[in-house]
Amino acid sequence: DLKATVLSAASPGEQKEMLGERLFPLVQAIQPTMSNKITGMLLELENSELLHMLESPESLRSMVEEAVEVLQAHQAMDTSYK
Amino acid sequence: NGSSSVNWPPEFRPGEPWKGYPNIDP
């Protein structure tokens, strides 16, 4: 599994990629329709938070729900400007 | 700024390089 020591050996971009590869299937299980964008959003968080989410399904779920709300608000804002 | 709000958030695609994180390590 993914440990902070493994991550620290990788470049910042690779770290996000490694975390994303692990988060994506979990996000997909919670919210299949927007999982690509949700994972993208989550990857903007600190790596330590992402590691915590990988270990705690409850925090992952609440972050995904939060991300969905932010995404929907963002999309609503986008379309109202058009 | 605010010119790229439409492109946010970047999409993560498994198996592809992650491009959403800006220019730390080009």
Side-chain angles (χ1 to χ4, degrees), chain A residues 11 17 21 36-37 40 44 74, chain B residues 5 8-10 12 15 18 25:
Chain A
S11 75
E17 234 168 275
E21 295 285 352
N36 296 94
K37 283 187 176 291
E44 294 180 341
H74 181 77
Chain B
S5 74
W8 184 92
F12 178 82
W18 171 238
D25 198 353

Side-chain angles (χ1 to χ4, degrees), chain B residues 8-19:
Chain B
W8 184 92
E11 290 189 20
F12 178 82
R13 299 191 178 278
E16 292 182 20
W18 171 238
K19 305 180 206 77

Side-chain angles (χ1 to χ4, degrees), chain A residues 13-70:
Chain A
E14 284 170 342
Q15 292 174 16
K16 294 291 178 187
E17 234 168 275
M18 289 161 90
L19 288 162
E21 295 285 352
R22 280 164 178 79
L23 278 169
F24 181 72
L26 305 173
V27 172
Q28 209 172 22
I30 299 170
Q31 180 55 260
T33 50
M34 296 183 282
S35 43
N36 296 94
K37 283 187 176 291
I38 294 168
T39 308
M41 277 179 73
L42 295 181
L43 288 178
E44 294 180 341
L45 300 171
E46 295 283 329
N47 287 352
S48 58
E49 285 191 70
L50 299 173
L51 283 170
H52 176 67
M53 277 184 244
L54 286 171
E55 282 165 13
S56 161
E58 288 128 68
S59 31
L60 177 70
R61 178 173 285 274
S62 68
M63 283 309 297
V64 169
E65 282 166 6
E66 216 175 288
V68 169
E69 282 174 29
V70 174

